[in-house]
Amino acid sequence: MVSMGEDITEILSAWSFDPETNVRKIRGTDGVEKIQVRINQGAFQGILQIDLDGRPDGCRPHGQTFALDYYQNSLQTYRQQNNSEDDGFSLDPEACEELFEEGARIYERYAFLLQLKEYPRVIRDTERNMQLFRFVNRYAASEQDKSNLEKWWPYILRINGTARAFVARDEGDFVEALDIVAKTRDRIRECPMIDTEEFRVEMERSEEALEALESELLEAKPLNRKEQLEQMLAEAVEGDNFERAAELRDMIQQLAVEDI
């Protein structure tokens, strides 16, 4: 028998489901910031809750903030005992499964962080998962475990690059944002091919998403004086306002002289 305090009907009634606002930040009674996600699956109505920082589920595996921290520390201990060598260190299937599960939880969080436009935290979480991917690929004992995450490499590169580009954009540095997009696209194109459907789909989706992001940034990028004059010139020519067009050409030429 549950108590009235455990019934979430009142919370659900106060937070009607809307796909545009189904994710929010709150501060828990423990003082920790959390993400809440409003769920609407027909008869199933509910709320998911995850911590904003640290491990999403608030657990401390092996007494560490993350399982990855524990296994990285284990590697350092192994090196200290083996003259800085890591030959012979490996992750057994149980360790890999624990890391796969942790990576999935972090992925779920940064998907919600994107909705909240918490871009620095998206960068943090994607970079942690990128470390996890590389660690498993380097040290997993099983070849299947080594390659298990590689099919998602294009996706995580794209999300990391997208978040970094948005941070640059929000700081007003559109040149840096566009450079990040270009370099992210290059990194994805250079990925070693993986013969899986997921990899092929993510390569295609990443190309399309980065192209759309580049167009969005170009449209939002403030025009400099020369670009403004060129845009005004095009409009004057289109409107057959030749006198104004001549004035604008003179102004553009004068800017070119000043730049020399």
Side-chain angles (χ1 to χ4, degrees):
M1 178 71 70
V2 298
S3 69
M4 293 297 292
E6 294 171 313
D7 187 348
I8 65 171
T9 300
E10 186 174 339
I11 300 175
L12 295 175
S13 298
W15 186 9
S16 300
F17 178 80
D18 182 339
E20 298 296 322
T21 58
N22 69 319
V23 181
R24 68 185 182 186
K25 287 195 300 182
I26 67 155
R27 186 171 296 278
T29 56
D30 56 1
V32 175
E33 282 191 296
K34 304 177 189 295
I35 298 172
Q36 287 187 337
V37 185
R38 180 71 164 85
I39 302 298
N40 179 1
Q41 296 182 355
F44 175 73
Q45 299 287 316
I47 295 173
L48 298 178
Q49 182 168 288
I50 57 180
D51 283 359
L52 195 61
D53 301 306
R55 231 179 95 116
D57 56 9
C59 293
R60 291 183 56 82
H62 310 284
Q64 302 287 317
T65 305
F66 294 93
L68 178 61
D69 296 342
Y70 169 76
Y71 289 109
Q72 287 178 326
N73 290 338
S74 297
L75 172 61
Q76 293 306 314
T77 300
Y78 184 90
R79 284 172 171 164
Q80 291 169 6
Q81 296 170 349
N82 292 273
N83 300 316
S84 299
E85 297 292 332
D86 58 5
D87 290 343
F89 179 85
S90 64
L91 301 169
D92 61 26
E94 290 74 20
C96 289
E97 184 62 30
E98 183 176 13
L99 290 169
F100 295 158
E101 186 270 342
E102 179 166 279
R105 289 179 183 271
I106 293 171
Y107 154 73
E108 290 164 355
R109 177 167 67 191
Y110 65 69
F112 295 132
L113 288 171
L114 273 174
Q115 286 185 255
L116 291 170
K117 300 182 180 180
E118 288 273 347
Y119 302 125
R121 284 185 166 105
V122 174
I123 296 170
R124 174 204 64 192
D125 277 1
T126 50
E127 288 181 349
R128 171 161 284 276
N129 262 5
M130 290 161 78
Q131 290 179 34
L132 188 152
F133 280 31
R134 296 278 64 83
F135 190 73
V136 170
N137 183 258
R138 172 68 178 83
Y139 295 108
S142 161
E143 287 299 322
Q144 182 176 352
D145 286 338
K146 279 179 179 288
S147 61
N148 184 46
L149 298 173
E150 296 306 293
K151 57 182 174 287
W152 304 114
W153 194 241
Y155 171 79
I156 197 168
L157 287 176
R158 166 166 61 94
I159 299 303
N160 177 266
T162 297
R164 289 189 295 114
F166 281 148
V167 168
R169 178 204 63 185
D170 292 346
E171 293 173 351
D173 194 341
F174 284 82
V175 173
E176 174 66 12
L178 289 164
D179 185 57
I180 289 169
V181 171
K183 289 179 178 177
T184 300
R185 183 187 288 117
D186 288 343
R187 289 187 69 185
I188 291 172
R189 289 172 176 171
E190 292 166 1
C191 287
M193 292 300 297
I194 307 295
D195 188 21
T196 66
E197 180 65 20
E198 294 93 340
F199 182 85
R200 289 189 290 271
V201 168
E202 286 307 324
M203 288 289 284
E204 182 177 337
R205 285 178 177 171
S206 294
E207 185 72 28
E208 293 173 352
L210 290 171
E211 183 178 338
L213 176 57
E214 184 177 57
S215 297
E216 178 184 334
L217 290 170
L218 286 170
E219 290 179 6
K221 179 178 178 291
L223 300 178
N224 59 35
R225 181 57 176 161
K226 181 174 181 291
E227 291 168 334
Q228 291 173 351
L229 291 172
E230 288 173 342
Q231 181 174 301
M232 294 165 66
L233 173 59
E235 293 171 353
V237 171
E238 185 178 352
D240 294 334
N241 189 345
F242 301 114
E243 183 177 349
R244 177 59 173 161
E247 293 174 355
L248 290 165
R249 287 192 186 94
D250 289 342
M251 295 170 69
I252 293 170
Q253 289 174 358
Q254 182 60 37
L255 279 179
V257 170
E258 293 172 358
D259 290 338
I260 295 175

